[in-house]
Amino acid sequence: RLTPVLSLLPLSLFVYFCSFIPTIISGSSIHFNYEWVSSLGINLTFHLDALGLLFALIISGIGTLVFYYSSYYMKDYHGQRRFYGFLSLFMAAMLGLVLSENIITLFIFWEMTSISSFFLIGFNQKEQASRRSALVALSITGLGGMFLLGFAVFAGIHTETWNISAMLEHSAIFSEGWLGTTLLVLLLVAAFTKSAQFPFHFWLPGAMKAPTPVSTYLHSATMVKAGIYLLLRFAPHFSEHSFFHETLLIFGAVTMLYAAYHTLFRTDLKSILAYSTISALGVLVFLIGVNTAYSIMAAYVFILVHALYKASLFLITGIIDHQTGTRDVSKLRGLYAKMRPVGIAAFIAAISSAGIPPLIGFVGKDLIYEGTLHHSQDVLLTTLALITNVLIGYAGFAAGIKPFIGKTLPSLANVKAPAKTLWLPPVFLAILSIIFGLFPGWIGSLLYPAVAASGFPSPSELKLWHGFNLVLSLSFVTILSAILLFVFWKAEAKKERFIERFNVVSPANLLQQCVILFEWLAKRYTVLIQNGYLRKYVAVMMLIFAIIMGVHVATSPFNFINFSQMQSIQWNDAAVVAIMFVAILFCVFAKSRLAAIAGLGIVGYCMCFIFVFYSAPDLAMTQFTIDTLTVILFVLVLYRLPRYLKMSNTLNRIKDGGIALFLGAMVTLMVLEVMNETPDKRISTFYAEQSYLLAKGKNVVNVILVDFRGFDTFIEVIVLAIAAIGVFGLLKLHLKRNEK
C-alpha cells in the first residue's frame, strides 16, 4: 500500500512555484532554455508568467490534495503503483504544457496529457465501460492534438520561429486571409476538443467511469482547462481576426447553456458534476469571446473559483460513493449526521458555485456580469450568463447540499464516518474558498499582469463589496433563482429517461453512426482491394505508379528522343539489347518455371555485358554474382513446388501485360528525361574528393557502401541473412500428408 508521503512530490512543486509569486506580481517573468533539437530550433524552453503560474499552482496544489486523498481512497484497488505512475506522468505533462514556450514541446506535452489520461480513465481495465470511455476520450482529444500539430507547423513555418512569444511579432499572419483563418480553425478545434466544447463535449461525461481522484484532477481542475489555457495564451495573436471572438461567443454560449440544462435531469452525482463542468468550461470560452478587461479578469478568476469548488465536490462525491455505495442523488439524504466535516465542506463548495458571499465564487460571478455589461450586446450576453449561473448554482446545490439535508434514509443508517484522509482535502479547499473570498486582492495582484499581457488595462481592484449596483442586483437574482429551482425541482429517474429519448440526435450518437458507416465502408473496401491475392496488389501498385508518371509526361512535354545520341549506338550494344528482348519474351511465354528462371538469368548476364561496355567492371562482377545466386536460389525453391499451372485466363494475362508495358514505357520516358537534365554533381564530387581522404579507399563505390553507408549496408546484409535462413527453413520443412 502506498502512503500519503507521496503527496510530498506535488507539495514540493507547489512550494517551489509559490516562491516565484513576488517576481510575477512585480511584472517580471522567468525563462529557462535547454537545447534539445537545436538544428531545427526545437528546444526545451520554459516561460513562467502570470498565466503559467496560475495553472502551475492549481496543478501542483490540487495535485497535492488528490495524491493525499488517493492514498486512502485507492487502498483497495489493484495496481496502485501503476495508478500513481500515470498520475505523476499526467501532472508532469500538464506542468510542461502550461510552461512551454516552444510550440512543438507544447504539442508534445499536450499529447502526453491525452495518453496519460487515457490510462487513468481506463484504469479499471476489466470493465468494458471504462475501456470504451478511455478510447472515446483518447479519440476526441487525439483529434484535437492532430489539429494542434497542424497549427504549430503552419505557425512555425510562416513566422520562422517556434517560440510562442516571438510569434506575436508576426501577428499579421494571424489576422485576415486564408492563413489566418486556417490557423484559427486549427487552434479552435484543438482547444474545443480538449475543453469539451459542443459538439465535442460528450467524452467528458463518459470519462466519469474513472476513479474519483482522476475525475477530480483531470476533469475539474486541470486537463479540461488545457484548451482554455491555449485560448488565453494565443488570444492576443488573434485579436485582429474578425471571427475569433464571435466564434468563441457562439460555441461558449451553446456549450454552457446546453450542459447546464442537462444538469436538471441527472441523478448521478458524477454526471451532475460532469455536465456542470462542461457548462463552466463553456462559460470560460464565452468570457474570452466577450473580450473586455472585466471578462478576461473574470475568466482568470473563474478558473481558480471552479477548480476550488468543483474539485471539492468531486472529492466529496467520492467520499459519498465510498461510504454509501451509491451516487444516486435520489437515494441520498441526511448524511450530515454521519459525516459533519464533509457536509460543511460540501455546503461551502455549493454556495461558492452559486456565487453567495463571502465566498470567492461571489467575486467570480460579479466579474462575469461586469464583463458582459461592458460589451456592446450587454443585454443578450448578460441574460445568457444569468441563466447559466442559475443552473450551475442549482447543480452545486444538488451535488453539495441535497445528500446531506433531511432525515437519514433507513438504507443509510449504518453509514460510517469517513477517514480523516478523505475529508481533509475538501475541507482545505473550502477554507481556501472562504479566505480568497474575504481577501480577493491577493488573487488580483497575481492576475493583473496576466490581464495586461492580454492587451487590456487592469480593471478595478478585486473586492468582495462594491456597493449597491446593477451587478449586485444580478447576483441577488442569480442566488434567489438557484435556491428556488433547487427547492421546487426534483431530479428523478423518469425525468432522466425523458431527456435520454433525445440521445438519437446527440453528437455522441451521430458520431457513433459515423463510426458504424466508416466500419461498413472499411469492410467493403477491404473485400474489394485487400482480397489476399499478391498479384493484384502488385498490379494495383504498378498501375498507380505508372499513372502518376503518365500524368507527369502528359503535363510536361519533352523531346524524349534525341537522334544525335542514337547515332552513337554500337553493334554490340544493339546485339545485347536484342538478346535481352528475346529472353524477356521467352520468360513471358515459357511453359516451365525453370525455363523462365533461365530466361531471367540471361537478362541479368546481358546487364553484366552493358556494365563492361561502359567501363564499370566492378558493377559487372557484382551483377554477375548476384544474378548467379538469385538463379540458384530460385531453382532450389521452385524445384520443390507442384507442376507449373496456369493460374490466370487469357484476359487477365493481357491485362497484366498491358500494365507492365505501360509501366515500362513510363519508366523509359522518365529515364530519358533524367538523362537529358543537367546533372548536379555536388554529391558525386564530394564522394570522389573525400573517399581517399576520409576512408583511405580509391574505389568510390566500395567506400560509399562500406564506410559512408556502412550501417545501411550492415542492415541490408542482416536482412538478406534472415531471408536466407527463412528460405533454408522452408527447404527443410517436411509436412505430413494430412497437413495442409
Side-chain angles (χ1 to χ4, degrees):
R1 176 185 168 184
L2 300 177
T3 67
V5 175
L6 288 173
S7 59
L8 294 177
L9 171 62
L11 178 61
S12 61
L13 290 171
F14 180 77
V15 173
Y16 173 73
F17 287 117
C18 283
S19 66
F20 295 109
I21 292 178
T23 303
I24 301 303
I25 290 177
S26 66
S28 303
S29 58
I30 294 136
H31 294 266
F32 173 81
N33 182 68
Y34 178 81
E35 289 193 1
W36 186 26
V37 191
S38 54
S39 59
L40 298 178
I42 302 173
N43 298 315
L44 292 174
T45 306
F46 299 100
H47 176 220
L48 184 64
D49 58 1
L51 176 60
L53 182 59
L54 172 65
F55 275 88
L57 291 174
I58 292 175
I59 293 165
S60 56
I62 302 293
T64 301
L65 300 177
V66 169
F67 270 70
Y68 181 78
Y69 179 93
S70 301
S71 64
Y72 187 89
Y73 187 89
M74 302 292 295
K75 66 183 179 65
D76 296 326
Y77 280 71
H78 295 290
Q80 293 182 49
R81 289 180 175 83
R82 178 165 53 91
F83 173 80
Y84 279 99
F86 292 145
L87 202 62
S88 300
L89 176 64
F90 172 80
M91 181 176 64
M94 276 301 303
L95 288 173
L97 191 157
V98 300
L99 298 177
S100 288
E101 176 68 356
N102 189 289
I103 188 67
I104 299 299
T105 56
L106 184 148
F107 162 75
I108 293 171
F109 287 119
W110 180 281
E111 290 298 276
M112 285 176 60
T113 62
S114 296
I115 294 171
S116 54
S117 67
F118 165 76
F119 289 116
L120 287 168
I121 295 170
F123 182 75
N124 298 321
Q125 51 191 303
K126 294 184 179 180
E127 298 180 7
Q128 183 179 0
S130 295
R131 297 196 303 270
R132 187 178 184 279
S133 298
L135 286 172
V136 171
L138 181 64
S139 300
I140 299 301
T141 56
L143 173 69
M146 182 178 68
F147 277 80
L148 179 60
L149 178 61
F151 172 82
V153 172
F154 269 89
I157 290 175
H158 287 277
T159 60
E160 299 181 349
T161 180
W162 303 114
N163 189 286
I164 296 174
S165 298
M167 288 179 180
L168 275 173
E169 301 175 3
H170 305 80
S171 57
I173 72 164
F174 296 97
S175 55
E176 302 298 335
W178 71 269
L179 179 58
T181 302
T182 301
L183 290 172
L184 175 63
V185 172
L186 293 172
L187 178 76
L188 292 182
V189 173
F192 288 175
T193 53
K194 200 77 159 185
S195 289
Q197 298 299 292
F198 186 90
F200 306 107
H201 66 282
F202 55 87
W203 70 266
L204 185 55
M208 294 301 112
K209 299 296 182 182
T212 297
V214 175
S215 301
T216 302
Y217 198 29
L218 277 65
H219 308 134
S220 68
T222 54
M223 189 187 84
V224 291
K225 292 191 175 76
I228 305 300
Y229 167 82
L230 196 68
L231 293 175
L232 288 171
R233 179 62 74 189
F234 284 94
H237 296 59
F238 289 97
S239 58
E240 300 300 322
H241 199 290
S242 57
F243 299 120
F244 178 65
H245 297 106
E246 287 79 0
T247 305
L248 294 182
L249 274 175
I250 294 171
F251 278 90
V254 171
T255 302
M256 68 187 192
L257 289 170
Y258 174 86
Y261 176 73
H262 269 267
T263 61
L264 295 172
F265 300 92
R266 305 298 162 178
T267 57
D268 183 276
L269 287 174
K270 266 195 173 184
S271 184
I272 294 172
L273 295 178
Y275 278 100
S276 65
T277 296
I278 297 171
S279 182
L281 295 170
V283 170
L284 288 169
V285 173
F286 175 80
L287 290 173
I288 300 172
V290 173
N291 196 39
T292 63
Y294 281 101
S295 71
I296 298 300
M297 175 59 86
Y300 284 118
V301 173
F302 193 63
I303 288 171
L304 177 62
V305 169
H306 180 260
L308 292 176
Y309 79 74
K310 190 56 66 68
S312 180
L313 289 174
F314 264 112
L315 294 175
I316 291 166
T317 296
I319 295 173
I320 294 173
D321 189 19
H322 188 273
Q323 299 302 115
T324 66
T326 182
R327 298 195 304 261
D328 190 337
V329 71
S330 63
K331 299 177 181 179
L332 295 168
R333 193 168 67 236
L335 291 178
Y336 180 77
K338 302 289 184 178
M339 44 185 79
R340 294 179 185 276
V342 180
I344 294 172
F347 178 78
I348 294 173
I351 63 175
S352 181
S353 70
I356 298 176
L359 281 302
I360 185 63
F362 174 75
V363 179
K365 288 288 191 297
D366 274 8
L367 283 171
I368 292 174
Y369 294 136
E370 287 280 7
T372 56
L373 289 172
H374 283 78
H375 193 273
S376 58
Q377 300 292 329
D378 53 345
V379 176
L380 174 62
L381 300 184
T382 303
T383 302
L384 296 177
L386 177 66
I387 296 172
T388 303
N389 287 335
V390 169
L391 295 174
I392 290 178
Y394 161 81
F397 292 153
I401 294 179
K402 189 177 186 305
F404 296 94
I405 60 176
K407 185 178 179 180
T408 305
L409 294 174
S411 59
L412 305 176
N414 297 323
V415 172
K416 297 180 181 179
K420 187 182 295 184
T421 308
L422 291 179
W423 60 259
L424 276 177
V427 168
F428 183 77
L429 291 171
I431 293 172
L432 287 180
S433 294
I434 296 174
I435 293 175
F436 289 145
L438 295 174
F439 306 100
W442 294 358
I443 302 172
S445 59
L446 175 63
L447 299 181
Y448 295 144
V451 176
S454 299
F456 292 100
S458 297
S460 59
E461 183 181 356
L462 292 185
K463 294 180 181 179
L464 183 63
W465 178 253
H466 288 277
F468 294 97
N469 52 27
L470 178 59
V471 172
L472 181 64
S473 302
L474 291 172
S475 296
F476 176 76
V477 172
T478 302
I479 296 168
L480 180 60
S481 300
I483 294 174
L484 292 175
L485 185 61
F486 172 67
V487 171
F488 292 104
W489 178 266
K490 304 298 180 184
E492 300 171 342
K494 64 178 182 180
K495 293 179 180 178
E496 189 168 13
R497 288 193 297 270
F498 167 77
I499 198 68
E500 287 176 352
R501 295 177 183 175
F502 300 96
N503 285 346
V504 66
V505 294
S506 66
N509 186 67
L510 295 177
L511 178 65
Q512 182 63 30
Q513 296 304 315
C514 291
V515 170
I516 294 173
L517 176 62
F518 180 80
E519 290 178 350
W520 181 82
L521 291 174
K523 290 178 181 178
R524 299 288 297 177
Y525 169 83
T526 302
V527 171
L528 179 65
I529 304 298
Q530 304 289 333
N531 46 36
Y533 291 97
L534 180 61
R535 61 184 298 162
K536 290 188 177 181
Y537 296 166
V538 175
V540 170
M541 289 187 291
M542 293 175 64
L543 181 61
I544 292 176
F545 185 44
I547 290 174
I548 293 173
M549 290 191 293
V551 171
H552 170 74
V553 171
T555 56
S556 304
F558 179 77
N559 183 18
F560 293 100
I561 301 177
N562 191 331
F563 291 98
S564 62
Q565 291 182 353
M566 293 181 63
Q567 295 174 0
S568 62
I569 297 177
Q570 303 296 321
W571 67 269
N572 51 348
D573 297 329
V576 171
V577 171
I579 294 172
M580 291 177 65
F581 182 74
V582 173
I584 291 171
L585 292 177
F586 180 78
C587 292
V588 172
F589 295 102
K591 303 297 183 180
S592 166
R593 293 191 183 91
L594 294 179
I597 294 170
L600 289 176
I602 294 173
V603 174
Y605 291 140
C606 288
M607 290 297 300
C608 296
F609 282 112
I610 293 176
F611 288 142
V612 171
F613 294 160
Y614 287 89
S615 303
D618 51 347
L619 293 179
M621 290 300 298
T622 303
Q623 176 71 24
F624 176 80
T625 305
I626 295 298
D627 213 82
T628 303
L629 290 174
T630 302
V631 170
I632 294 173
L633 285 174
F634 271 131
V635 170
L636 290 174
V637 173
L638 299 182
Y639 179 74
R640 293 180 177 271
L641 292 179
R643 281 186 73 242
Y644 187 80
L645 300 174
K646 290 185 178 181
M647 303 298 293
S648 61
N649 54 35
T650 303
L651 181 62
N652 284 334
R653 289 195 295 275
I654 293 174
K655 178 189 66 177
D656 294 341
I659 294 175
L661 289 173
F662 180 41
L663 177 63
M666 292 302 102
V667 171
T668 302
L669 294 177
M670 293 292 289
V671 170
L672 290 173
E673 181 179 1
V674 170
M675 290 177 61
N676 283 277
E677 291 290 332
T678 303
D680 187 347
K681 297 185 177 181
R682 286 179 295 177
I683 296 177
S684 58
T685 302
F686 168 80
Y687 284 126
E689 294 175 349
Q690 301 298 325
S691 291
Y692 186 76
L693 294 177
L694 298 178
K696 308 302 179 185
K698 295 182 179 180
N699 188 316
V700 178
V701 175
N702 288 347
V703 169
I704 292 173
L705 292 175
V706 176
D707 294 286
F708 289 109
R709 293 182 61 245
F711 280 108
D712 291 344
T713 305
F714 177 67
I715 294 173
E716 290 170 1
V717 171
I718 293 175
V719 172
L720 290 174
I722 294 173
I725 293 172
V727 172
F728 179 77
L730 291 174
L731 293 175
K732 291 293 184 180
L733 182 64
H734 297 284
L735 296 176
K736 296 179 181 180
R737 292 183 179 274
N738 59 350
E739 292 183 356
K740 296 182 180 181

